[in-house]
Amino acid sequence: MESLKDQFLLRPDIHFLNFGSFGATPKPIFEKYQEWQRVLEAEPVQFIAFDGYQYLADSRAVLAKFLNCADKDDLVYVTNPSFAINMIAKSFPLNAGDEILATDIEYGACDRTWDYYCKKKGAIYRRQKINLPIVNKEQFIEDFFKGCNENTKAIFISHITSATGLILPAAEICAIAKEKGLITIVDGAHAPAHIPLDLNKIEADFYTGACHKWMMAPKGCSFLYAAKSVQPICDPMIVSWGYQAAKPSHSNFLDYHQMIGTRDFSAFLTVATCIDFMEKHEWKVVGQKCHQMVLDHAPRFFKLFNSNPICPLHSEWIGQMISIPIQTPDPEQLQRTLFLEYKIEVPIMRQGNDVYLRYSINAFNTVDDLDALYNAIIEIQKQGVLLK
Amino acid sequence: MESLKDQFLLRPDIHFLNFGSFGATPKPIFEKYQEWQRVLEAEPVQFIAFDGYQYLADSRAVLAKFLNCADKDDLVYVTNPSFAINMIAKSFPLNAGDEILATDIEYGACDRTWDYYCKKKGAIYRRQKINLPIVNKEQFIEDFFKGCNENTKAIFISHITSATGLILPAAEICAIAKEKGLITIVDGAHAPAHIPLDLNKIEADFYTGACHKWMMAPKGCSFLYAAKSVQPICDPMIVSWGYQAAKPSHSNFLDYHQMIGTRDFSAFLTVATCIDFMEKHEWKVVGQKCHQMVLDHAPRFFKLFNSNPICPLHSEWIGQMISIPIQTPDPEQLQRTLFLEYKIEVPIMRQGNDVYLRYSINAFNTVDDLDALYNAIIEIQKQGVLLK
């Protein structure tokens, strides 16, 4: 695994333990990205207004196969999962009193989005309390559906949560929600190439994921899947030529969400290169080793912080990142101190009233990175200000 | 001017007469773009979540000076003008019966945007007929304000129109609209670095412009200016962490419109390089020569198509692009034929029931390009199918 470090463009002087936020792009993928940009610049009109649609279709086909999505035309590339969730929340038909059911450990940007649009429509965004630590899947599912009532129209849930780093039982939740006649919306920002992902098995109505995290695409590459049954409710996020198009294609969904004004969509075209890279370097094996490193070192960090795991330490709940509850009077300052004084990139994240240190492990990490973190924490604890 | 051709990445075998749609980026600007992307990849977290805000502020300061905008914090970078107009139209407070006044020669994507949001709110998007050919400024202004009535809340107007390539008297229109108590919204997509642009003189409430056209930035680089008085009505286009931020900055406007999820905003950071490039190569002189070439060759094209100018052939109305009314049964096929059979990139555009051939001239063009177009048209006319 050590040798893979050279494949990345990351600063060698930083202990980079925050792959989870924005990923990192290996050189061959990055070079392909910049090559596409040169193709664009050689003939911007052909790229953006003509050939680009075929390039996008080709890239969607490769992604569809990777995700086990039956029809590539049910997928569109979007800048990021927040963009996708905004489009869904803006479009979603809600009457006064209707409810969207979510957990209380969703991503803050998405909470804000649902809050904003639910308030506009007189609807309720219900953030159902999940009891931590999680005991087992059954308990989680029971907790979640306590928030369901006759007004609930849809459920919104992360496949892997952000601040708490938990793999949630999305497929089971979607299956139960479907039985109840609810629309299912999954925020899979952290899922693709992090955990096995099969859209056909999850059967969510909407599923969004980032390609710029664990798939290692350049920043600004994500996707939205929408089942054909829910595509008609999707209005464009950015109304443009694809809305009431003069010459519509075979799919309003593609016209609405692909034609959103001039932009450089080269990042969307690197997905085949990402998948090739992962195959060439046996990424499943790499991921398994990383996952094991996450788990092997977790106990000493829980001990160091005198805290307890928020779920069983098992691949059912934990992938290549783990969140450790910590106590600090100033999470932001702690994160800055770790970076500026110890050259450690690791996020200290708030979720409600709780604070977590979340470390991620990928191919370029070694035990040395976790040792550096461990030793830095001990030093900061000794200083007795940001940690005690 | 000939020597400047080498500065661009455009295919040498194409007569590129469509700078107007997506611009073209010179090598030094493109290299700076890709260099920023390498800076991002060296430490994605620092770039996106920390240093990036300062980089953006620095870039907004340079742009503000270029546009003569007093406060850089009244400017935000956006992907494209359509994005900006979507945000404004989505946010704009409209009651049933209220009206937005525009011309009938606006950009189709923006027409669709206003139509969409006006219909949602029970308001009216009034596309006032402009008589062509334009006789003079007074006549244009008179035509336009015939569409104004007691329900009009705002005016929306292009600074330079798209299909018709006309410089409109935006400053005068805004001044009169302001006297009438209307909000003024200018779509300056084609204006920056194409015509002298001074935001302080125009005094629009909202002004959006593309940097990826005549300023030659990479695709996906545009700006929105909003006067402080109208910033409070602007909701985020993409609701994210900047909305009801945990730790708001000094400006909601920046928080709402800059923090819109993970993306590669390197293009926004090239604006200083764009301005340096233009200064180094005396772009005002280059632009003047291009403008003169546009006008010098226009008469033979009007004669060829047996049509008449839609405005006085003068720098008051015409910059570096001109639209010539043509008759063709199939505009899209004509454009494809010119490209595929004659290697000429030139747009054939519809506006209402009319069709225009619009050619743009920039530093890399020579008379040879216009000769090629001229001769191709003669050949196509002889074939008697797409042109007669």
Side-chain angles (χ1 to χ4, degrees):
Chain A
M1 224 166 78
E2 184 77 16
S3 67
L4 288 168
K5 192 163 187 168
D6 287 344
Q7 296 283 324
F8 288 82
L9 293 145
L10 291 166
R11 276 173 60 176
D13 62 325
I14 301 294
H15 298 286
F16 197 75
L17 291 164
N18 186 9
F19 192 85
S21 282
F22 311 116
T25 301
K27 289 171 191 170
I29 300 169
F30 188 76
E31 279 157 20
K32 190 70 189 174
Y33 177 43
Q34 296 202 324
E35 192 184 312
W36 275 116
Q37 295 178 324
R38 280 187 291 272
V39 175
L40 188 166
E41 273 305 328
E43 231 297 1
V45 181
Q46 293 304 304
F47 191 95
I48 295 173
F50 294 94
D51 304 339
Y53 292 102
Q54 187 58 50
Y55 299 153
L56 286 169
D58 294 345
S59 187
R60 287 187 288 100
V62 171
L63 180 65
K65 194 176 163 207
F66 184 75
L67 301 171
N68 198 21
C69 166
D71 186 348
K72 72 177 194 311
D73 292 349
D74 297 340
L75 286 174
V76 283
Y77 285 109
V78 295
T79 311
N80 48 56
S82 299
F83 187 102
I85 298 302
N86 266 268
M87 186 282 288
I88 298 166
K90 171 176 171 288
S91 299
F92 202 88
L94 286 171
N95 295 315
D98 285 351
E99 299 197 3
I100 302 287
L101 172 61
T103 74
D104 66 343
I105 49 174
E106 298 305 323
Y107 186 58
C110 295
D111 280 339
R112 285 168 169 78
T113 302
W114 284 112
D115 263 336
Y116 173 88
Y117 285 105
C118 283
K119 269 184 196 149
K120 255 194 189 314
K121 302 172 188 180
I124 291 161
Y125 176 57
R126 185 173 297 281
R127 301 176 64 228
Q128 177 60 28
K129 183 173 169 55
I130 301 299
N131 289 303
L132 297 182
I134 286 171
V135 180
N136 57 37
K137 205 181 277 190
E138 292 67 32
Q139 179 66 52
F140 177 88
I141 292 170
E142 193 186 318
D143 278 358
F144 180 68
F145 282 105
K146 275 183 191 155
C148 188
N149 61 45
E150 58 188 2
N151 296 319
T152 308
K153 298 297 171 207
I155 62 113
F156 170 69
I157 193 162
S158 289
H159 200 170
I160 303 180
T161 61
S162 177
T164 48
L166 297 164
I167 303 170
L168 300 185
E172 290 87 340
I173 296 279
C174 286
I176 298 168
K178 281 209 154 182
E179 276 176 28
K180 294 176 186 285
L182 306 175
I183 298 289
T184 54
I185 305 160
V186 180
D187 173 4
H190 297 270
H194 186 178
I195 55 173
L197 178 54
D198 184 325
L199 291 188
N200 197 40
K201 275 194 190 153
I202 292 187
E203 278 197 282
D205 293 304
F206 292 104
Y207 191 104
T208 180
C211 304
H212 58 224
K213 291 180 191 270
W214 300 88
M215 288 181 74
M216 301 178 284
K219 268 35 88 187
C221 180
S222 301
F223 69 85
L224 168 66
Y225 161 81
K228 290 192 201 303
S229 56
V230 292
Q231 288 175 16
I233 69 169
C234 298
D235 277 359
M237 189 66 232
I238 310 295
V239 179
S240 184
W241 292 101
Y243 184 69
Q244 302 186 335
K247 299 202 169 182
S249 79
H250 63 291
S251 162
N252 271 350
F253 182 65
L254 294 178
D255 292 347
Y256 283 20
H257 306 292
Q258 285 194 155
M259 299 175 81
I260 60 171
T262 301
R263 54 187 175 150
D264 176 354
F265 51 82
S266 298
F268 299 164
L269 308 181
T270 63
V271 164
T273 311
C274 296
I275 293 168
D276 286 349
F277 180 88
M278 290 190 284
E279 283 176 2
K280 181 177 171 190
H281 295 285
E282 301 184 83
W283 220 244
K284 278 181 191 165
V285 179
V286 170
Q288 187 50 43
K289 285 182 187 169
C290 293
H291 166 68
Q292 200 53 53
M293 199 194 295
V294 166
L295 289 189
D296 287 350
H297 291 263
R300 64 170 173 148
F301 282 98
F302 284 110
K303 196 171 171 195
L304 187 61
F305 286 111
N306 193 26
S307 70
N308 293 308
I310 55 173
C311 68
L313 294 180
H314 184 275
S315 61
E316 186 181 4
W317 300 97
I318 300 293
Q320 287 177 238
M321 59 186 195
I322 191 165
S323 290
I324 297 155
I326 69 168
Q327 303 271 344
T328 174
D330 193 339
E332 291 74 22
Q333 187 55 46
L334 176 57
Q335 180 169 335
R336 286 315 272 162
T337 297
L338 283 164
F339 182 76
L340 295 173
E341 293 182 22
Y342 299 93
K343 298 198 168 183
I344 297 167
E345 187 67 83
V346 72
I348 312 294
M349 306 173 96
R350 294 171 191 263
Q351 182 79 61
N353 295 321
D354 302 319
V355 178
Y356 298 90
L357 178 147
R358 186 189 74 189
Y359 68 74
S360 306
I361 297 294
N362 214 329
F364 47 80
N365 290 118
T366 63
V367 173
D368 181 51
D369 297 320
L370 290 173
D371 285 347
L373 175 63
Y374 190 86
N375 294 330
I377 296 295
I378 288 175
E379 275 196 41
I380 295 169
Q381 282 175 333
K382 278 186 189 155
Q383 291 159 14
V385 181
L386 291 168
L387 291 170
K388 282 178 186 170
Chain B
M1 225 165 77
E2 184 77 15
S3 67
L4 288 167
K5 193 162 187 167
D6 287 345
Q7 296 283 322
F8 289 82
L9 293 145
L10 291 167
R11 275 172 63 176
D13 61 325
I14 301 294
H15 297 287
F16 197 76
L17 290 164
N18 186 10
F19 192 85
S21 283
F22 310 116
T25 301
K27 290 171 190 170
I29 301 168
F30 188 77
E31 278 156 21
K32 190 70 188 175
Y33 177 43
Q34 297 201 324
E35 191 184 313
W36 275 116
Q37 295 178 324
R38 282 186 291 272
V39 175
L40 188 166
E41 273 305 328
E43 230 297 359
V45 180
Q46 294 304 305
F47 191 95
I48 294 173
F50 294 94
D51 304 338
Y53 293 103
Q54 188 57 51
Y55 299 152
L56 286 170
D58 293 345
S59 187
R60 287 187 287 100
V62 171
L63 180 65
K65 193 176 163 207
F66 182 74
L67 301 172
N68 197 21
C69 166
D71 186 347
K72 73 177 194 313
D73 291 349
D74 297 340
L75 285 176
V76 283
Y77 285 107
V78 294
T79 311
N80 48 56
S82 298
F83 187 102
I85 297 301
N86 267 268
M87 186 282 288
I88 298 166
K90 171 176 172 286
S91 299
F92 202 89
L94 286 171
N95 295 315
D98 287 350
E99 299 196 6
I100 303 287
L101 173 61
T103 74
D104 65 344
I105 49 174
E106 297 305 324
Y107 186 57
C110 295
D111 280 340
R112 284 167 170 78
T113 303
W114 284 111
D115 263 336
Y116 174 88
Y117 284 104
C118 283
K119 270 185 195 146
K120 257 195 188 311
K121 301 173 188 179
I124 291 161
Y125 176 55
R126 185 172 297 283
R127 302 174 66 228
Q128 177 60 30
K129 183 173 170 51
I130 301 299
N131 289 304
L132 298 181
I134 285 171
V135 180
N136 57 37
K137 203 180 277 189
E138 291 68 31
Q139 178 66 50
F140 177 88
I141 292 169
E142 194 186 316
D143 278 357
F144 180 67
F145 281 105
K146 274 181 191 157
C148 188
N149 61 45
E150 59 188 0
N151 296 319
T152 309
K153 297 297 171 207
I155 62 115
F156 170 68
I157 193 162
S158 289
H159 201 169
I160 302 180
T161 60
S162 177
T164 47
L166 296 164
I167 303 169
L168 300 185
E172 290 88 340
I173 295 279
C174 286
I176 296 167
K178 281 211 151 179
E179 275 175 30
K180 294 175 186 285
L182 306 175
I183 298 289
T184 53
I185 306 160
V186 180
D187 173 3
H190 296 269
H194 186 176
I195 54 172
L197 178 54
D198 183 326
L199 290 187
N200 198 40
K201 273 193 190 154
I202 290 186
E203 279 196 282
D205 294 303
F206 292 105
Y207 191 104
T208 181
C211 305
H212 58 224
K213 291 181 190 269
W214 300 88
M215 288 181 75
M216 299 178 286
K219 269 36 87 184
C221 180
S222 300
F223 69 85
L224 170 66
Y225 161 84
K228 290 190 200 307
S229 55
V230 293
Q231 287 175 17
I233 68 168
C234 298
D235 277 359
M237 189 67 233
I238 309 295
V239 178
S240 184
W241 291 100
Y243 184 70
Q244 302 185 336
K247 299 203 169 180
S249 79
H250 64 290
S251 162
N252 271 350
F253 182 65
L254 294 178
D255 291 348
Y256 282 19
H257 307 292
Q258 285 194 156
M259 299 175 80
I260 59 171
T262 301
R263 54 185 175 152
D264 175 355
F265 52 82
S266 298
F268 299 163
L269 308 181
T270 63
V271 164
T273 310
C274 295
I275 294 168
D276 287 348
F277 180 89
M278 291 190 283
E279 282 176 1
K280 181 177 171 190
H281 294 287
E282 300 185 84
W283 219 244
K284 278 180 189 163
V285 179
V286 169
Q288 187 51 43
K289 284 182 189 170
C290 293
H291 166 67
Q292 199 55 51
M293 199 194 295
V294 167
L295 289 189
D296 287 349
H297 290 263
R300 64 170 171 147
F301 282 98
F302 284 110
K303 199 171 167 194
L304 187 60
F305 286 109
N306 193 26
S307 71
N308 293 308
I310 56 172
C311 68
L313 294 180
H314 183 274
S315 61
E316 186 181 5
W317 301 97
I318 301 291
Q320 287 177 239
M321 59 186 193
I322 191 165
S323 291
I324 297 155
I326 69 167
Q327 304 272 344
T328 175
D330 192 340
E332 291 75 20
Q333 188 54 46
L334 176 58
Q335 180 169 336
R336 285 316 271 163
T337 298
L338 282 164
F339 182 75
L340 295 173
E341 293 182 23
Y342 299 93
K343 297 197 168 184
I344 297 167
E345 187 67 83
V346 71
I348 313 292
M349 307 175 94
R350 294 171 191 263
Q351 182 78 60
N353 296 320
D354 302 318
V355 178
Y356 298 91
L357 177 149
R358 185 189 76 189
Y359 68 74
S360 305
I361 298 294
N362 213 328
F364 47 80
N365 290 118
T366 63
V367 172
D368 181 50
D369 297 319
L370 290 173
D371 285 347
L373 175 62
Y374 190 86
N375 294 329
I377 296 296
I378 288 175
E379 274 194 44
I380 295 169
Q381 283 176 332
K382 276 185 193 156
Q383 290 158 13
V385 180
L386 290 168
L387 290 170
K388 284 178 184 169

